[in-house]
Amino acid sequence: MKEKKIPILFTKDQYKDLLLLVNIGNWVINSYSDDDSESEFTKMESFIASHHTEFGENKLAEFDTDLNGYFPTQELEEWAQKFIEPYENDVFWEKLAERFVVRDLRRQFDPAQIKKMSREIFFEKYDRLISQYQSEFENHGLQRLFVRNENGDLIEADVGSLPAKVGRNEPCPCGSGKKYKKCCGGSPSANLAIKPDIPPPRLTERINANIHRLLSQKEFDSPEEMNAFLQKTLQENKGDVPEVTPQSALERAQELVYDAWESGSAVERVRLAKRAIEISPDCADAYNILAEDTNPSLDQATDLYQKGVEAGERALGKKMFEKEVGHFWGILETRPYMRAKSGLAGCLWLQDKGDSPKHDEAIKHYQELLRLNPNDNQGIRYILSAHLLELSKFEELGQLFQAYPNDGAAAWVYAQALYSFFKEGADSVDSKQLLREAINTNKYVPNYLLQFKKLPKKLPEYIGMGDEREAQACAHALMTSWQKNKGALEWLKASL
């Protein structure tokens, strides 16, 4: 029996959208397939592309004489990549964090222990870990992520110079004679060699700023209307956000900051930062760059961060601090101020040893950052908890722990254990449980706190959840506090 055909009428624009959707769908299905045979989905894409002349779309589809079929053109595939690449970027960060969490859980617990966990306990531990990795990747991208071999040496792949971008319908540069999409273009390992590194999330601030300027040019009656406008604009521009010229002096200065972030030269970053300040003295991030890249003294860095804070306060205005408390980081314009305030607090803490007004001032800055942004995208709570322990400010520390009950970083759980020891003693059920949890989180920390192993003179530049480098950083931050609380180290030693 002959299969019945059902006619469907399309406008020219609808046909263009259909070509795009089919190309994206076929990419998802076949992109990483090892099967060289033509799939039913590829045949369907070829069939739909064969009608391109009827709609006058010669730019989006063409007949390939070598393969004797119709295929999307380079222009269509580049259009599709405008949608695919942001999706890949989001999935990359999400899946990277998830896989690290699974790895860490398997390191800390054997399969039998995991199987016995209730869903509530399992996901409590999972959420603690995932928040740590999400914060790390949001603030640093891949900059502090490295791979070591069995000898502890860093592994750095030598990929040589990156080849030019290869179209998926062009011959594969490996010399196989196949089309790129049917050869290395479908291989994850090849993508690593041809695609540039995914930028740290901070660099996406430029895109977000451009979107904000685009949306600010119109008035919308609802979020739905705004989203519809944005989606239509992206579609019309093949996935790109159209460039909107910065209008204010501060916007133009911040664009120079974005250029500086993308520069690999400290000299160039400083030059751009100084130029940004000339354009707008309210550009807080420009002062942040000068504090980080001019090799200043502690006093000079403190002064630069202070100027950054003041610039941010002028730029944001008093109403922002009154109306937007609680989700500051979610507002793009607040981030330069938040970065400057964190830098200033760090400098103030280093000004003097022991309990001093400068220490108290640093604590207030950190607490204010958390008040403005309780989600703590900057990881302020870890710095603050260590400082409060060192100053024996246990009441404030208890309030901080209550604000973040599901955190699983080593520095956090070892600080919680010490806090419970101080409040409830060594024999309390809570103290014992917290100490066991801390040791399960990172088994290497006690060796350094008890000085069975010496801390390195130079702390590691990066850490991994549950590894020895995290233990070194944790012990360095908490050593003084564990030593000054009488009986704490003996309690830790007896628990091993």
Side-chain angles (χ1 to χ4, degrees):
M1 181 176 178
K2 191 174 181 180
E3 187 175 4
K4 183 179 179 180
K5 294 184 178 181
I6 302 174
I8 304 177
L9 300 178
F10 289 99
T11 65
K12 181 176 180 179
D13 286 341
Q14 288 172 332
Y15 178 72
K16 287 171 60 178
D17 291 342
L18 178 63
L19 281 173
L20 174 67
L21 288 170
V22 171
N23 182 256
I24 293 174
N26 196 35
W27 180 90
V28 172
I29 293 170
N30 291 329
S31 185
Y32 298 107
S33 173
D34 294 328
D35 186 0
D36 288 336
S37 62
E38 191 174 42
S39 73
E40 291 300 317
F41 298 101
T42 301
K43 292 177 182 177
M44 175 59 70
E45 182 180 26
S46 180
F47 171 73
I48 294 173
S50 70
H51 293 274
H52 69 282
T53 56
E54 300 170 34
F55 292 91
E57 284 301 336
N58 295 327
K59 291 183 178 180
L60 299 181
E62 61 187 357
F63 183 78
D64 189 307
T65 55
D66 293 334
L67 295 176
N68 192 32
Y70 293 89
F71 293 93
T73 61
Q74 181 72 22
E75 182 174 335
L76 175 59
E77 293 199 325
E78 288 181 355
W79 182 20
Q81 285 299 315
K82 298 296 185 181
F83 297 91
I84 291 170
E85 288 177 2
Y87 167 77
E88 282 189 312
N89 184 56
D90 289 343
V91 170
F92 173 83
W93 294 110
E94 179 181 334
K95 293 301 180 183
L96 184 63
E98 289 178 358
R99 293 192 181 194
F100 274 121
V101 168
V102 171
R103 180 204 65 177
D104 293 345
L105 287 171
R106 287 174 175 171
R107 283 179 174 178
Q108 295 176 30
F109 306 99
D110 60 42
Q113 289 177 307
I114 293 177
K115 190 174 182 180
K116 290 180 180 178
M117 288 182 191
S118 66
R119 287 178 58 84
E120 181 179 2
I121 293 176
F122 175 83
F123 282 108
E124 179 182 347
K125 296 181 182 297
Y126 182 94
D127 291 342
R128 287 184 180 185
L129 290 170
I130 201 77
S131 65
Q132 301 306 306
Y133 283 114
Q134 288 172 343
S135 177
E136 169 66 23
F137 297 147
E138 180 169 352
N139 288 294
H140 303 290
L142 298 177
Q143 298 305 310
R144 304 199 303 188
L145 186 64
F146 297 89
V147 177
R148 290 179 180 271
N149 61 23
E150 62 274 10
N151 297 320
D153 300 321
L154 285 177
I155 297 175
E156 296 187 63
D158 182 10
V159 298
S161 59
L162 293 177
K165 185 174 182 180
V166 182
R168 287 169 56 77
N169 280 324
E170 295 177 9
C172 186
C174 75
S176 66
K178 298 179 181 179
K179 287 199 171 189
Y180 174 59
K181 69 180 180 181
K182 287 292 185 180
C183 190
C184 296
S187 166
S189 60
N191 288 340
L192 289 175
I194 292 177
K195 288 186 179 180
D197 288 339
I198 295 176
R202 179 190 280 196
L203 297 184
T204 64
E205 288 188 19
R206 166 175 259 158
I207 299 173
N208 293 334
N210 206 41
I211 292 174
H212 176 75
R213 288 196 292 271
L214 174 68
L215 297 178
S216 65
Q217 294 178 339
K218 294 179 65 67
E219 293 185 1
F220 303 97
D221 294 329
S222 67
E224 291 75 19
E225 182 184 354
M226 181 183 70
N227 288 330
F229 167 76
L230 183 58
Q231 292 302 317
K232 181 181 178 182
T233 302
L234 291 172
Q235 183 179 16
E236 291 172 347
N237 290 273
K238 298 183 179 180
D240 280 334
V241 179
E243 290 291 333
V244 181
T245 303
Q247 297 299 314
S248 69
L250 180 56
E251 287 179 343
R252 296 196 300 274
Q254 190 66 31
E255 283 294 309
L256 291 180
V257 167
Y258 297 145
D259 290 339
W261 285 349
E262 295 177 5
S263 172
S265 166
V267 173
E268 178 65 5
R269 288 194 295 273
V270 170
R271 185 190 72 80
L272 290 169
K274 289 181 177 179
R275 176 61 182 144
I277 292 172
E278 290 176 0
I279 294 173
S280 174
D282 294 343
C283 185
D285 265 333
Y287 293 103
N288 295 338
I289 291 174
L290 295 180
E292 295 163 5
D293 285 323
T294 58
N295 195 27
S297 67
L298 181 58
D299 286 341
Q300 290 171 332
T302 303
D303 182 60
L304 286 167
Y305 280 126
Q306 179 64 52
K307 289 180 178 178
V309 169
E310 293 169 357
E313 290 173 344
R314 292 194 301 269
L316 296 174
K318 291 183 178 180
K319 288 185 178 179
M320 180 74 77
F321 289 90
E322 295 170 356
K323 293 185 177 181
E324 305 299 343
V325 173
H327 50 274
F328 238 53
W329 190 262
I331 302 171
L332 193 64
E333 295 91 331
T334 68
R335 296 184 184 182
Y337 167 80
M338 300 286 278
R339 287 188 276 263
K341 197 171 185 68
S342 175
L344 175 59
C347 287
L348 290 171
W349 181 262
L350 296 174
Q351 290 285 339
D352 294 304
K353 297 291 184 180
D355 191 8
S356 73
K358 293 292 177 74
H359 280 173
D360 289 339
E361 191 175 346
I363 293 293
K364 289 179 181 178
H365 281 296
Y366 287 130
Q367 290 174 331
E368 176 65 6
L369 284 168
L370 290 179
R371 187 184 74 87
L372 292 171
N373 182 47
N375 287 333
D376 192 21
N377 303 80
Q378 296 171 281
I380 298 299
R381 61 185 180 271
Y382 309 116
I383 305 170
L384 180 57
S385 62
H387 291 346
L388 291 174
L389 268 173
E390 188 169 335
L391 298 178
S392 299
K393 294 180 178 291
F394 293 111
E395 183 177 350
E396 294 171 64
L397 182 61
Q399 295 171 356
L400 182 62
F401 286 142
Q402 289 177 6
Y404 302 95
N406 297 320
D407 201 317
W412 193 254
V413 292
Y414 274 93
Q416 283 182 309
L418 181 58
Y419 168 76
S420 184
F421 171 83
F422 173 83
K423 295 286 289 185
E424 301 183 20
D427 296 327
S428 79
V429 174
D430 286 344
S431 296
K432 291 179 179 179
Q433 181 178 342
L434 285 168
L435 186 57
R436 282 195 302 270
E437 185 174 335
I439 294 172
N440 285 335
T441 298
N442 192 308
K443 63 183 180 182
Y444 303 106
V445 173
N447 289 333
Y448 290 100
L449 288 178
L450 296 169
Q451 298 186 349
F452 294 156
K453 297 182 74 172
K454 290 185 178 180
L455 286 170
K457 292 182 179 179
K458 184 179 179 181
L459 288 175
E461 295 180 0
Y462 59 94
I463 63 175
M465 300 291 286
D467 72 6
E468 195 154 1
R469 294 181 296 278
E470 183 193 35
Q472 292 167 356
C474 172
H476 178 268
L478 300 177
M479 181 72 76
T480 301
S481 300
W482 276 85
Q483 288 176 341
K484 69 188 294 186
N485 281 276
K486 187 176 180 180
L489 290 175
E490 289 78 5
W491 174 57
L492 174 61
K493 186 176 181 180
S495 68
L496 300 179

